[in-house]
Amino acid sequence: MKNSGTWVGLLTGACIALTQIFREQVPASLANHTLFYEKLRSLQPNTASVKCMIGSGTSVEAFLFFMLLPIIASMPYAITFFEDLHAGYLKSILVRVDRRKYLQTKFCGSIIAGAIITMLPLLMNYLFSLVLLPNLLPSSIFGNGISITTPGYQLYFSHPTVYLLLFILFDGLIGGFYAGIALLCCFLSDYLVVVIIIPFFLQLIWHILCSVTGMYDFSPIYFSMAGYGSTVHPLYAGLAIAAALVLFFFIFIKKGMKEDVQ
């Protein structure tokens, strides 16, 4: 977690989260304090669960964050394996440790690092929203895209904090998924930029296909945003991602055991 890739990815996510705070949360807090809602009593004051980055279905920053997530999540640990593999460090490492154990540790470290670097900016943004805005129950009328077609909407409208924290964990799993893809790509290219960019392009292609066919809910950018209200069930999606990570793990170990060490 101390390498330069981690700090670049973390700062990128933090800058996007801070931008959303100053652009949306602070004005929403000021609107509450000006008693604007005394004149429009049919409206609910701005709430934390609706104005935070993950809870907003229309936030530009949220879209940008999840658009860049494959790059952000791939930077911490996939870079270190790429350097070990292509800079000759791996030969010295394998003299001291078992190759299988090294590969297992590298894969698990990559998934955990990708998950952490995904969750920290989202968690920071939500904590700021709780400081700036009241934690009222969200309105089913004046809110975001979450409705009765959204899986788990009952939990959101009764315990929004629990719902959003669970969604942050779900997004952490998605970040680990992208990190796993980047790790596998280390065997395919001799250029680091290609390794980092491939997960981004795979997501972009899938997002374009979903947009062209009108199946927006199945875009990873949209079903990662809790406030968008996608009909994709996070539990089923999480199980599918977890199964993919298990497959990635065995492919990575098998490929790594056969890879020539320079």
Side-chain angles (χ1 to χ4, degrees):
M1 295 299 293
K2 295 181 180 180
N3 64 72
S4 58
T6 299
W7 287 108
V8 172
L10 190 59
L11 288 174
T12 302
C15 287
I16 295 174
L18 286 172
T19 301
Q20 196 271 343
I21 291 170
F22 287 106
R23 200 181 70 85
E24 292 193 20
Q25 295 183 23
V26 172
S29 177
L30 293 175
N32 284 352
H33 287 295
T34 56
L35 302 180
F36 171 74
Y37 294 95
E38 281 194 352
K39 300 178 181 179
L40 297 172
R41 295 180 181 271
S42 61
L43 297 181
Q44 182 183 21
N46 293 306
T47 63
S49 59
V50 175
K51 288 299 180 179
C52 65
M53 188 165 72
I54 191 172
S56 173
T58 57
S59 173
V60 176
E61 289 80 9
F63 182 88
L64 179 62
F65 178 82
F66 288 111
M67 172 68 80
L68 299 178
L69 182 58
I71 298 176
I72 294 173
S74 301
M75 297 186 72
Y77 222 66
I79 289 179
T80 63
F81 179 70
F82 181 89
E83 292 173 346
D84 291 348
L85 185 63
H86 294 280
Y89 300 139
L90 189 55
K91 185 175 182 180
S92 300
I93 294 173
L94 294 181
V95 173
R96 298 172 175 82
V97 298
D98 178 71
R99 177 183 285 217
R100 183 178 295 275
K101 185 177 181 180
Y102 164 79
L103 292 171
Q104 291 173 347
T105 304
K106 211 69 174 177
F107 185 88
C108 293
S110 178
I111 302 306
I112 293 172
I116 290 175
I117 205 171
T118 300
M119 293 187 294
L120 282 180
L122 295 174
L123 183 60
M124 178 198 71
N125 183 275
Y126 184 52
L127 291 177
F128 265 91
S129 71
L130 290 174
V131 172
L132 295 170
L133 299 164
N135 191 25
L136 301 174
L137 293 180
S139 170
S140 60
I141 300 176
F142 303 105
N144 45 29
I146 297 179
S147 64
I148 59 174
T149 62
T150 304
Y153 74 93
Q154 301 96 329
L155 180 62
Y156 174 73
F157 288 114
S158 59
H159 299 87
T161 297
V162 176
Y163 182 88
L164 293 178
L165 290 179
L166 289 175
F167 228 95
I168 290 176
L169 289 175
F170 171 64
D171 288 336
L173 185 62
I174 295 176
F177 173 77
Y178 289 133
I181 294 178
L183 207 57
L184 292 178
C185 292
C186 291
F187 296 118
L188 303 177
S189 176
D190 294 331
Y191 300 96
L192 180 59
V193 64
V194 175
V195 171
I196 296 176
I197 289 296
I198 285 179
F200 170 77
F201 273 110
L202 289 176
Q203 178 192 248
L204 182 61
I205 291 172
W206 185 253
H207 173 71
I208 292 174
L209 289 175
C210 290
S211 299
V212 170
T213 57
M215 302 174 66
Y216 299 101
D217 285 0
F218 292 90
S219 168
I221 298 175
Y222 290 137
F223 69 64
S224 299
M225 300 164 56
Y228 180 79
S230 172
T231 56
V232 174
H233 201 298
L235 177 60
Y236 299 148
L239 290 175
I241 293 172
L245 286 175
V246 172
L247 179 62
F248 290 170
F249 175 79
F250 287 109
I251 294 175
F252 179 74
I253 299 298
K254 183 176 181 180
K255 180 63 176 178
M257 293 297 291
K258 296 181 179 180
E259 187 71 14
D260 293 332
V261 179
Q262 300 177 354

